[in-house]
Amino acid sequence: MKVLLDLQYLNVASTGIKTYMVELAKAARKYPHPEIEWIFTHEPDKQAEDQTYKDLTSKIQKLNYHLDYFRWKEFQLPDMVKKYKPDVLICPDFVSPAASLPCRRMTVIHDAFFWQMPENYPKWWRKYFLNLIKKGLKEDTTLITTTRYSKTSLLEHLGDSLPIEVIYQAPKGMTAALDQKFQGKLGLNIQDYFLHIGTFDKRKNLPLLVESYAAYLKKTQSPKKLVLAGGPGQSKQMNDFPVVQQLVDKLQLQDQVLLPGYLTDGQVKSLYNGAFAYIFPSQNEGFGIPILESMGFGVPVIHSDQPALLEVAHGAGLSFQTGNSEDLTEKMILLETENDLREQLIHLGKARSKDFSSKKFIEAFYELILKPAP
């Protein structure tokens, strides 16, 4: 059986979708199946390194990218289907071609944010992208999503005319050497800082985290710092980075809140390796990869009680009421004062992280690919 995996979007992907695509391609090669032949539209590492459409600023550049993406999905990818004659086409970036295809489709829709949070996207772009998604939901298509929460959300907005399957993904395999000097460059000590890694999208609730951290400092007089690593939100509507900067200045936390920007895998590993705790205050997630990354490094996690995060953590994290700054502050204090609780969370987290592996990720795909037609 031939399976064609569409990896074109790796030339711009920078968030969880990039991790999903890279780890799926790696797992397919690491754990081959005797009945399945994989065909990649692009070499994963090479496509991820392509700088042609990275960090676009002008409207002309962005338009050129969207035209290139449209040409790929609607003309070039269908041509590859004709050339290689796959039994299954997997599109891991929401969009499958609108053209009729002589094969099964598996389209990964990671979350329902486009429907749940329309205010976070430019109106014209959202309308255009949703149209692309819907036109590709046709023929023999199975939708794949990341959690039971995402499946419930998609059923609410897309209905049940197409089957929706849940496949838990694997966290990022960070093989780079740990940057031994990075913590020192930031003036950090082992277990002397709280950590968050990710973009400054509004749904991440990072201003709330800064406010909770400020209250934590007042109540405890703790020397612990807060590290918020990552770049700005993906659009002007979604970007909370300026808000966080202004809040840090207003609360006079310039020496306590560190904003190191985008990091290499070696730097990320260094921060995970020394963090006292990871804090994930997001108001909406489809999965929540950093929860598993943190747990794998033996870092206890405080997370909002958003359904996807509760599902992924499965009781191995310390949850607080989503959007409740005071509750988050109390959980930070609790983790500092209750060492037995912290040790318990570390133990539970390490065990939970083992439930999400590359082997389990690809085996779930194999089961679905080889599943007999109803």
Side-chain angles (χ1 to χ4, degrees), residues 286-300:
F287 187 77
I289 292 173
I291 283 185
L292 299 179
E293 291 178 346
S294 301
M295 291 177 173
F297 277 91
V299 178

Side-chain angles (χ1 to χ4, degrees), residues 87 89 101 103-106 137-142 162-163 373-374:
D87 299 283
L89 169 66
L101 300 176
C103 64
R104 294 165 55 200
R105 310 178 193 218
M106 294 182 181
L137 302 182
K138 61 193 304 181
E139 300 171 337
D140 187 1
T141 295
T142 298
L162 294 174

Side-chain angles (χ1 to χ4, degrees), residues 47-258:
Q47 185 68 359
E49 292 170 1
D50 184 353
Q51 298 296 311
T52 305
Y53 295 110
K54 296 282 176 66
D55 302 320
L56 304 181
T57 54
S58 73
K59 291 183 178 180
I60 294 296
Q61 289 174 321
K62 293 177 181 178
L63 178 60
N64 285 337
Y65 164 69
H66 287 303
L67 290 173
D68 184 75
Y69 184 81
F70 182 82
R71 281 194 299 269
W72 169 257
K73 286 291 183 181
E74 306 306 338
F75 299 100
Q76 293 169 283
L77 184 55
D79 283 345
M80 289 196 75
V81 171
K82 291 179 183 178
K83 178 181 178 180
Y84 291 104
K85 297 179 173 57
D87 299 283
V88 179
L89 169 66
I90 299 178
C91 293
D93 60 338
F94 289 82
V95 178
S96 177
S100 291
L101 300 176
C103 64
R104 294 165 55 200
R105 310 178 193 218
M106 294 182 181
T107 302
V108 184
I109 299 185
H110 299 255
D111 49 62
F113 296 163
F114 296 118
W115 295 274
Q116 294 171 324
M117 311 171 76
E119 68 279 3
N120 284 357
Y121 304 93
K123 289 184 179 179
W124 69 268
W125 182 88
R126 177 178 173 271
K127 183 176 181 180
Y128 163 74
F129 198 68
L130 286 178
N131 189 51
L132 280 183
I133 292 173
K134 290 180 180 179
K135 285 185 179 297
L137 302 182
K138 61 193 304 181
E139 300 171 337
D140 187 1
T141 295
T142 298
L143 300 183
I144 297 171
T145 194
T146 54
T147 54
R148 294 190 299 274
Y149 164 72
S150 289
K151 178 178 179 177
T152 299
S153 301
L154 291 174
L155 285 170
E156 179 182 346
H157 295 283
L158 295 178
D160 59 359
S161 59
L162 294 174
I164 303 178
E165 300 286 346
V166 174
I167 293 180
Y168 287 138
Q169 67 188 87
K172 186 176 183 179
M174 289 183 279
T175 57
L178 186 148
D179 188 337
Q180 300 283 358
K181 298 181 179 180
F182 188 63
Q183 289 179 30
K185 290 178 181 178
L186 294 180
L188 298 171
N189 297 314
I190 296 293
Q191 293 190 10
D192 204 26
Y193 57 92
F194 294 97
L195 177 64
H196 179 277
I197 299 174
T199 58
F200 284 71
D201 286 352
K202 288 186 180 298
R203 64 182 175 82
K204 300 290 186 178
N205 264 351
L206 294 180
L208 177 134
L209 174 51
V210 173
E211 291 173 350
S212 299
Y213 170 70
Y216 158 84
L217 291 180
K218 288 182 179 179
K219 291 184 177 183
T220 64
Q221 304 302 309
S222 171
K224 286 185 174 61
K225 295 184 178 181
L226 173 63
V227 181
L228 304 178
Q234 293 183 302
S235 71
K236 186 176 181 180
Q237 287 89 341
M238 297 168 66
N239 185 23
D240 254 351
F241 187 73
V243 178
V244 169
Q245 286 182 309
Q246 293 169 12
L247 187 57
V248 168
D249 291 341
K250 178 183 175 181
L251 297 173
Q252 298 183 336
L253 294 174
Q254 296 91 338
D255 295 331
Q256 287 81 23
V257 179
L258 308 184

